């Protein structure tokens, strides 16, 4: 993977993580770096799932792939908040 690919993955992960965080209601008491990690993982898993369903390469914006990624990020944020949020993890 090139440096450009790594930087792109981090930016996409941050955006996907932030969108996932917006979907989850309430205040999420987790650091931004953890949101970014969740976003990167969700982006990778969402792409794998979209490929499995054959919707990863469409004409224009791949909305279904993006939906998979954001939903996975929302689930990831909710799980982390549920597990770590009660322990008082702060930014």
């Amino acid at each position: 993977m090139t440096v450009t690919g790594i930087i792109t993955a981090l930016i996409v992960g941050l955006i996907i993580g932030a969108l996932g965080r917006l979907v989850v209601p309430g205040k999420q008491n987790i650091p931004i770096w953890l949101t970014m990690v969740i976003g990167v993982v969700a982006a990778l898993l969402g792409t794998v799932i979209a490929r499995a369903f054959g919707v990863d390469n469409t004409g224009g914006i791949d909305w279904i792939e993006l939906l998979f990624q954001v939903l996975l990020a929302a689930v990831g944020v909710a799980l982390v908040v549920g597990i770590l949020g009660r322990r008082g993890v702060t930014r």
Side-chain angles (χ1 to χ4, degrees):
M1 183 175 249
T2 65
V3 174
T4 305
I6 292 170
I7 292 170
T8 302
L10 291 175
I11 291 170
V12 168
L14 183 59
I15 293 168
I16 296 294
L19 288 173
R21 200 169 174 163
L22 286 173
V23 172
V24 176
K27 185 175 188 285
Q28 296 84 33
N29 196 20
I30 60 173
I32 192 68
W33 66 266
L34 189 53
T35 301
M36 188 166 76
V37 170
I38 292 168
V40 170
V41 172
L44 293 172
L45 287 176
T47 300
V48 169
I49 292 171
R51 282 188 183 152
F53 283 104
V55 293
D56 63 322
N57 194 7
T58 60
I61 298 173
D62 298 326
W63 292 109
I64 298 173
E65 181 179 0
L66 183 61
L67 180 66
F68 284 141
Q69 293 170 340
V70 172
L71 289 177
L72 286 170
V75 168
V77 167
L79 285 173
V80 169
V81 167
I83 293 169
L84 298 178
R86 296 175 195 261
R87 294 183 186 169
V89 176
T90 60
R91 297 176 195 204

